[in-house]
Amino acid sequence: MIVSHRHRFIFAAVPKTGTHSVRQALREHLGDEDIEQVGLFVNKRFPYEDLAAIRHGHLGLAQVRPHLGDDAFDAYFKFGFVRNPFDRFVSYCAFMTRDGDLFKRSPHTVMEHFLFAEPPENHILFQPQWTVLADADGRLLADDVGRVEDMQRSYDAICARIGIPSRALEQVNGSSRGDYRQYYTPRLADAVAARYARDLELFGYEF
């Protein structure tokens, strides 16, 4: 997450949605008064003890709101990016097995493991996207939500609203997999649809 007091915005970094590319671009506009929490590539922590103790940068908007106060939180432009949950889950499985070739050899085995055998419920990368951008009741707190499927245009529009120059986003920590649909059986698709039902509804995605 990035909080820019200079430009009055809050970027909520939803895991597995190209957050590193967006962070790199936004950092060019940050001032000394701006703050960031991130745990990969660059290790920074917010100046709030309870949030600083969290060892990742994917804080939810609801988590930072009490520290900023309602007036500032409401006044700042809040945004993040989302991704089709079916595509995102494939990316998650590949990422978690990146030290070997198991996913490449047997993707269904990996997907079934995470969905049915040992779902990593507390792993931030596995959790639904709405938990970063909405409150506990599922009400969206973000003012704008960009989409990975149209990332550059989404980023350009967000920069225009913030009032900062845009630029071409670089691919960071990316992959070269094909269409996510090729990885699914009906059983796997039903399981992902059930687990990420609120993401599908809130952000308008389908298989």
Side-chain angles (χ1 to χ4, degrees), residues 52-158:
I54 298 173
R55 306 308 296 174
H56 62 72
H58 302 291
L59 303 175
L61 290 172
Q63 288 175 283
V64 77
R65 182 173 193 164
H67 297 278
L68 298 179
D70 286 343
D71 289 345
F73 185 85
D74 292 342
Y76 282 22
F77 175 66
K78 301 167 288 293
F79 68 95
F81 286 80
V82 294
R83 179 179 187 176
N84 189 312
F86 295 99
D87 184 30
R88 183 172 176 261
F89 180 68
V90 170
S91 177
Y92 174 81
C93 291
F95 179 77
M96 294 302 293
T97 56
R98 62 193 181 281
D99 292 334
D101 64 349
L102 178 59
F103 185 75
K104 184 177 181 179
R105 289 187 293 104
S106 184
H108 291 170
T109 298
V110 177
M111 295 167 77
E112 289 178 3
H113 172 80
F114 288 125
L115 284 171
F116 305 118
E118 295 185 46
E121 304 289 356
N122 295 323
H123 189 199
I124 185 62
L125 303 189
F126 186 74
Q127 292 171 11
Q129 298 169 86
W130 72 265
T131 60
V132 178
L133 300 174
D135 63 18
D137 296 320
R139 291 186 295 263
L140 195 63
L141 297 175
D143 300 305
D144 196 2
V145 178
R147 295 179 180 270
V148 167
E149 296 81 9
D150 194 16
M151 194 155 190
Q152 186 64 57
R153 187 162 65 174
S154 292
Y155 182 71
D156 292 344
I158 286 168

